[in-house]
Amino acid sequence: MARQSPPLYRQLYHMYLDRVCSGDLVKGAILPPITDIAQKYGIAVNTVRAAFDLLQRDGYVRPIKKKGTVVLRDELPQEAVRPFLLERREAYIGVCHMLETLAPDMLAFGAGYCGERELNELRRYVDGLDMNQPPRDLYVLWRHFYRSLLAPANNERFFHLVVTGNRFVRFPLVLSGDQNGFLEQGRRHMRRHMHHMLDCVEKGDFHQLKEMIRAGYERGRQQIEEYLKTLGAPEINTSPKQFLWMLDRSTHRLYSSIANDLLQKIVVGFYPAGSFIPSQTVLLEEYGASLSSVRGALTCLSDMGVVQYESGKGYRVMGDARPEGTRGDSQGLSLSSFLEIAQMMIVTFPAVLESVFDNLDGSEAAFFHERDNRLAGRPEGQFYSPLHLLINLLIRRIPDVVTQDIYRQLEMEFVYGCHYPKYYREAYPAEMAVSSNRIRQAVDCLERNDREGLTHHLLQALLQTVELAKQAEKWGYVAKEMPFPGQ
C-alpha cells in the first residue's frame, strides 16, 4: 500500500495525542499558547489552531478563558485504541529499534563518568522506590534512573532522545504488559535489576551494562511487536516519520530543517557551484511543507551567501557553502550545540555501523572514489569534505528508518553548525589534510570489508573535528565542558 502523508495540522494533532496517551500531558495540564507553538515549529498559527480544534472536537482539550487550553482527559476511549495503535505500528517498532541501537551506548557512556557521590545517590534512590505503585507508573521511575545515568555526559540530546523515545513507546508497552503480566514481573525485579546495573558501573564493566540495557529494550520491542500483531493489519500503511515530531529537538524551525537539508546537498556536491536549486514547487512536493517554509529556507541560505537569487532563473549555488563570519550567528548552531552533536555521533556510531555492515552491497567505495575524484579538484573557495561524503553514504545504509532519520538530522546540523569554516582551512591546512587522508583510509577499509579499520579511522576523523572546533575559542567562541571517548 502507498504511504500517505497527512497535512501538518493532523501531524501536530497526532503529536499532542501521543503526548496525552504517553502520560506526558496529564488531565488538567495547560497547553502552550498557539502562537508559541507556531513559533517553536516554524508553522502557521492557523495550522496550530486547526490541530487544537481537532483535539477539542474529540474531547481531549477545552479552551478556558484567562487560563488557556486545558487537557480534559489523559486516555483514549476504548473504541479508539485499536486504530490509534495500528496507525502508529511502524513508528512504535522503529522507535524501539532506535532505542535498542543507540540508548545502550549513550547510557553506558554517561554512566562511565558517574562518581562515587552520584552512584551513592542512585543507590539511595533505588532503595527508596515505592514498589506498591501501579505497574504502569513504574516507567516514571525508570525515566529518572536513566536521566541520572545520562547526566554526566552533559548532553541534552541524550536526555531528549532516550527519555522521549521511552515515553513514545510507553502506551503500547503498558497495554501489552497488562495482558500477560509483563509489567507485574518487571515490578518484582526492578530494584534488583537497577542495583545490578549500578554494580556494573562500579566495577567498570560497561560492556555488561550495555548488554543489560540492550536486552531490556529488545524484550520491550518483542513484547510490543507480538501485541500489535494480535490487532490485525492497519487500514493505512503510514510512514514512521509522520509520528516522530517529539523526537525532533525542536530547536530549529521547519524552514531551518529544510535549509539544513539543502545545505548538506550543496556540501557533498549534489548541487554543485553554479547549478540551480530546484523550483519552489518541486521543494514543496519534496518536503511536504508550506510555501512560507520553503521560502524561509531559501532566504536563510541566501542570507548565508550560499545561494543567490537570479530573476527568471531561481537560486544559483555560489562558491563556498560555509562562508566566513556565519558561524555562531542567529542562523547557525552554537559551539556547544555542535559538540553535543559530535559527541552523540562519536558515542553511537560504532553501534550504528554494526547495523550498516550487513546492508553494504559493495558499491559504496566505488561511489565514494568517483565523487571524491570529481569534487576534490574544485576551485579554491568551493567547499568539499570527504568526511561528510562518507558519513552520508553510510547513513543511507542504516536499515531502521527512524535511526536513519535521526542520523540524517544530526549530519545536517553537523554540516550547518560549524564544520570547517574558512578560517579553519586557512589556519590548519596540515590537520585538514590528515583528516581527509583518514577518511580515504577508512574507505580503503570499506573496500576490504575491514570493519574495525573503518570504524577506527572514521571515529578518529570525528574526534579531530572536535579538537579543531574547540580551537574556535581563539575566535571568541566558548564551549561547555563535555567528555569525549578517549579523553
Side-chain angles (χ1 to χ4, degrees):
M1 289 179 284
R3 297 191 183 275
Q4 298 184 9
S5 180
L8 285 176
Y9 76 91
R10 288 202 65 85
Q11 293 184 43
L12 192 64
Y13 163 78
H14 283 302
M15 184 193 75
Y16 277 98
L17 198 55
D18 286 320
R19 292 185 63 185
V20 167
C21 293
S22 69
D24 186 31
L25 291 174
V26 297
K27 186 176 180 179
I30 300 176
L31 300 184
I34 287 177
T35 52
D36 290 358
I37 296 174
Q39 185 177 16
K40 179 179 181 180
Y41 293 107
I43 55 182
V45 171
N46 286 340
T47 301
V48 182
R49 187 172 288 116
F52 276 31
D53 287 345
L54 283 181
L55 290 169
Q56 184 178 354
R57 181 203 66 184
D58 294 342
Y60 293 103
V61 302
R62 184 179 68 185
I64 298 179
K65 193 173 181 180
K66 296 184 179 181
K67 191 172 184 180
T69 304
V70 179
V71 177
L72 295 182
R73 64 184 186 194
D74 51 9
E75 59 182 19
L76 288 172
Q78 192 60 38
E79 66 275 8
V81 170
R82 181 178 175 276
F84 179 88
L85 291 173
L86 287 178
E87 192 173 20
R88 291 155 177 75
R89 180 163 69 177
E90 296 301 320
Y92 286 138
I93 295 173
V95 171
C96 285
H97 276 295
M98 179 275 295
L99 289 169
E100 199 175 327
T101 301
L102 303 183
D105 288 288
M106 291 189 289
L107 286 161
F109 178 74
Y113 292 90
C114 283
E116 183 179 352
R117 180 176 60 84
E118 290 84 2
L119 285 174
N120 289 336
E121 288 179 357
L122 272 171
R123 290 212 184 268
R124 286 194 294 270
Y125 168 74
V126 173
D127 289 335
L129 292 179
D130 180 8
M131 293 292 106
N132 294 319
Q133 295 187 53
R136 65 182 61 206
D137 292 340
L138 299 179
Y139 289 105
V140 178
L141 306 181
W142 272 110
R143 186 186 307 170
H144 177 82
F145 183 76
Y146 278 170
R147 284 182 67 93
S148 300
L149 289 182
L150 290 169
N154 199 19
N155 192 327
E156 294 178 9
R157 290 168 185 266
F158 283 11
F159 283 125
H160 185 83
L161 203 60
V162 173
V163 172
T164 311
N166 287 337
R167 183 184 295 145
F168 181 66
V169 299
R170 176 187 175 190
F171 185 53
L173 197 57
V174 165
L175 289 179
S176 59
D178 277 345
Q179 292 191 352
N180 59 14
F182 179 78
L183 294 181
E184 184 61 36
Q185 181 184 6
R187 175 167 64 176
R188 290 199 304 269
H189 300 293
M190 188 172 76
R191 181 180 283 122
R192 179 172 57 84
H193 195 65
M194 286 180 173
H195 274 304
H196 190 184
M197 293 172 70
L198 293 176
D199 290 340
C200 290
V201 176
E202 275 192 320
K203 293 183 294 185
D205 189 355
F206 297 107
H207 175 75
Q208 178 64 23
L209 176 63
K210 285 193 283 189
E211 289 305 309
M212 290 180 66
I213 296 170
R214 186 170 287 113
Y217 279 118
E218 183 180 11
R219 287 195 301 270
R221 173 180 56 79
Q222 292 171 348
Q223 179 82 14
I224 290 174
E225 285 180 331
E226 291 173 6
Y227 173 65
L228 293 176
K229 284 179 182 177
T230 65
L231 300 181
E235 297 179 3
I236 300 175
N237 189 21
T238 53
S239 167
K241 296 182 183 180
Q242 294 169 15
F243 300 103
L244 298 182
W245 281 58
M246 65 293 297
L247 293 179
D248 188 330
R249 296 183 72 244
S250 304
T251 54
H252 291 296
R253 299 180 182 181
L254 182 57
Y255 76 82
S256 186
S257 295
I258 299 172
N260 285 343
D261 194 28
L262 292 173
L263 181 61
Q264 182 185 28
K265 291 177 179 178
I266 293 171
V267 168
V268 301
F270 189 81
Y271 298 134
S275 66
F276 285 89
I277 299 292
S279 68
Q280 295 182 25
T281 303
V282 173
L283 295 177
L284 279 172
E285 184 175 349
E286 179 178 352
Y287 292 103
S290 65
L291 182 59
S292 61
S293 295
V294 171
R295 287 175 176 169
L298 295 173
T299 300
C300 178
L301 294 177
S302 180
D303 291 343
M304 292 172 61
V306 177
V307 300
Q308 185 176 39
Y309 180 73
E310 295 186 7
S311 180
K313 294 183 178 180
Y315 286 88
R316 181 191 292 273
V317 178
M318 306 304 290
D320 195 328
R322 199 69 175 95
E324 183 177 10
T326 59
R327 182 168 167 271
D329 61 16
S330 60
Q331 300 294 345
L333 292 175
S334 69
L335 180 58
S336 293
S337 295
F338 170 76
L339 292 177
E340 285 187 354
I341 297 166
Q343 185 195 60
M344 185 168 178
M345 294 179 73
I346 292 168
V347 169
T348 62
F349 219 4
V352 171
L353 287 175
E354 283 299 314
S355 68
V356 165
F357 286 130
D358 293 335
N359 273 7
L360 300 177
D361 59 15
S363 65
E364 294 81 13
F367 180 87
F368 176 91
H369 287 309
E370 182 274 329
R371 190 62 64 92
D372 183 49
N373 290 334
R374 179 158 57 86
L375 295 179
R378 296 171 77 178
E380 180 64 27
Q382 293 187 14
F383 184 90
Y384 166 62
S385 165
L387 174 60
H388 289 308
L389 178 59
L390 178 58
I391 291 177
N392 190 258
L393 267 175
L394 295 173
I395 287 175
R396 297 179 186 181
R397 297 294 188 261
I398 297 176
D400 169 43
V401 66
V402 176
T403 306
Q404 183 183 103
D405 197 50
I406 288 170
Y407 253 83
R408 283 190 183 279
Q409 184 64 28
L410 286 174
E411 168 64 2
M412 283 187 276
E413 294 185 68
F414 193 67
V415 178
Y416 185 55
C418 63
H419 186 63
Y420 299 158
K422 187 176 180 181
Y423 49 71
Y424 276 17
R425 285 172 283 161
E426 294 175 349
Y428 304 110
E431 289 84 349
M432 298 290 291
V434 169
S435 178
S436 296
N437 286 336
R438 276 198 179 280
I439 293 304
R440 293 180 179 108
Q441 287 177 300
V443 176
D444 291 340
C445 294
L446 181 61
E447 274 186 305
R448 300 193 304 270
N449 199 27
D450 179 1
R451 300 185 176 191
E452 290 186 6
L454 170 62
T455 304
H456 171 75
H457 288 301
L458 186 55
L459 291 182
Q460 288 302 312
L462 285 169
L463 281 169
Q464 186 180 27
T465 302
V466 170
E467 290 307 311
L468 289 179
K470 288 182 177 179
Q471 297 298 318
E473 294 177 5
K474 296 179 180 179
W475 287 275
Y477 298 98
V478 181
K480 67 178 181 180
E481 289 297 321
M482 296 180 65
F484 280 86
Q487 295 182 342

